[in-house]
Amino acid sequence: DTEVTQTPKHLVMGMTNKKSLKCEQHMGHRAMYWYKQKAKKPPELMFVYSYEKLSINESVPSRFSPECPNSSLLNLHLHALQPEDSALYLCASSQEGGGGGDQPQHFGDGTRLSIL
Amino acid sequence: DQQVKQNSPSLSVQEGRISILNCDYTNSMFDYFLWYKKYPAEGPTFLISISSIKDKNEDGRFTVFLNKSAKHLSLHIVPSQPGDSAVYFCAASPPGSGNTGKLIFGQGTTLQVKP
C-alpha cells in the first residue's frame, strides 16, 4: 500500500476543460513533487514544493498550475491541455527537500491522464 | 544530454540466479544514487541508495556497488525471485540539490525473472 495517495486514478478530459489532480501524504514530509511520465520513459520532474513554497518549476507550461494548500496536500490544476500532455502524473514526497539517498522520495501510484 | 544512462532496456534471469542491473552517469559531482522499482499501474518504489562517498551498500537481497572512477553503478539482486520482475530506474541527486530534492532518472531496465 502506497503512503502517497493520488486521485483520481484515471482522468479523461477535453482540451477546453479545467480539472485538478490531487495528492495527499500523512508521513509528515515537508517536500512534495509533481512528475510527468510518458510511456517507456523515466519520470520527469515538473515542480517541487518545500515547506509549502514552490522551490522548483522546471519550465513547465502555464497550463499546469500547482498548489500546495498545506503540508499534506498538493494539487495540480489543469487548463487548456494539449494531446501531448497525455501521460502518467506522479506525486512524490520526502522528509525534507533532499530527495537524496538519506531522504528518498516516496511516490504515489499516479493519475493516468488522457487528453482528447 | 542524458546524465544518467541505463543502456540495457531489458534483462531476463532465471529464478534463484543473480540479476545485475547497470547504470552509468556523466556528472562526477552527483551526491547520491538511488534505485527505484516500478510495477505496471503503480508508482516507483524506493529500493536502495548509496552515497557518493561509499562504494557498496547492502540491504537484504539487494546490493548496490558504486565505481566512481568508471562513473558506474550496479544493482545486484540475489537470489532473484519472480516478484522482482519490474522496471528498475537508476536515479542521481545532482550537486546542490540537497535542499531541492531534484533527481535525474535513467531510462529504466525491465527485469523479467523466470520461474
Side-chain angles (χ1 to χ4, degrees), chain B residues 48-80:
Chain B
I48 190 169
S49 64
I50 187 166
S51 164
S52 59
I53 63 173
K54 297 191 174 178
D55 54 20
K56 178 182 175 181
N57 189 26
E58 189 173 354
D59 184 1
R61 296 187 297 115
F62 302 92
T63 303
V64 57
F65 295 92
L66 177 62
N67 181 334
K68 288 183 284 293
S69 60
K71 296 193 182 70
H72 176 84
L73 66 154
S74 60
L75 174 68
H76 293 214
I77 307 174
V78 183
S80 301

Side-chain angles (χ1 to χ4, degrees), chain B residues 6 8 10 38 47 50 54 56 67 71 79 81 89 97:
Chain B
Q6 294 175 255
S8 298
S10 63
K38 187 179 186 302
L47 266 180
I50 187 166
K54 297 191 174 178
K56 178 182 175 181
N67 181 334
K71 296 193 182 70
Q81 299 172 354
F89 288 102
S97 63

Side-chain angles (χ1 to χ4, degrees), chain B residues 11-72:
Chain B
L11 174 68
S12 183
V13 170
Q14 206 66 34
E15 180 180 6
R17 307 295 283 266
I18 184 171
S19 295
I20 300 176
L21 297 106
N22 294 303
C23 180
D24 297 298
Y25 60 94
T26 56
N27 189 337
S28 59
M29 300 300 290
F30 283 140
D31 293 335
Y32 276 95
F33 301 91
L34 303 89
W35 285 95
Y36 282 85
K37 175 172 75 173
K38 187 179 186 302
Y39 293 119
E42 293 185 14
T45 301
F46 170 72
L47 266 180
I48 190 169
S49 64
I50 187 166
S51 164
S52 59
I53 63 173
K54 297 191 174 178
D55 54 20
K56 178 182 175 181
N57 189 26
E58 189 173 354
D59 184 1
R61 296 187 297 115
F62 302 92
T63 303
V64 57
F65 295 92
L66 177 62
N67 181 334
K68 288 183 284 293
S69 60
K71 296 193 182 70
H72 176 84

Side-chain angles (χ1 to χ4, degrees), chain A residues 33 35 37 40-43 45 48 50 55-56 58 88 90 97-110, chain B residues 2 32-34 36 38 41-46 49-51 87 89 93 97-108:
Chain A
Y33 312 78
Y35 286 85
Q37 186 176 22
K40 299 193 184 301
K41 296 288 187 183
L45 183 65
V48 180
S50 181
S55 60
I56 290 184
E58 291 286 283
L88 179 68
L90 292 162
D102 57 342
Q103 298 169 11
Q105 295 177 25
H106 298 258
F107 285 81
D109 288 340
Chain B
Q2 265 190 282
Y32 276 95
F33 301 91
L34 303 89
Y36 282 85
K38 187 179 186 302
E42 293 185 14
T45 301
F46 170 72
S49 64
I50 187 166
S51 164
V87 178
F89 288 102
S93 180
S97 63
N99 295 321
T100 65
K102 187 167 183 172
L103 289 178
I104 298 175
F105 285 86
Q107 297 292 101

Side-chain angles (χ1 to χ4, degrees), chain A residues 68-80:
Chain A
C68 189
N70 60 55
S71 59
S72 301
L73 293 174
L74 186 66
N75 299 321
L76 186 63
H77 302 298
L78 315 173
H79 175 54

Side-chain angles (χ1 to χ4, degrees), chain A residues 1-9 22-25 27 29 32-35 37 43 88-94 105-112, chain B residues 36-46:
Chain A
D1 286 340
T2 181
E3 295 176 81
V4 177
T5 304
Q6 290 187 245
T7 56
K9 291 193 183 306
K22 296 186 183 301
C23 175
E24 189 169 4
Q25 58 88 12
M27 294 179 281
H29 290 173
M32 296 186 76
Y33 312 78
W34 279 115
Y35 286 85
Q37 186 176 22
L88 179 68
Y89 287 84
L90 292 162
C91 174
S93 69
S94 65
Q105 295 177 25
H106 298 258
F107 285 81
D109 288 340
T111 293
R112 176 74 59 189
Chain B
Y36 282 85
K37 175 172 75 173
K38 187 179 186 302
Y39 293 119
E42 293 185 14
T45 301
F46 170 72

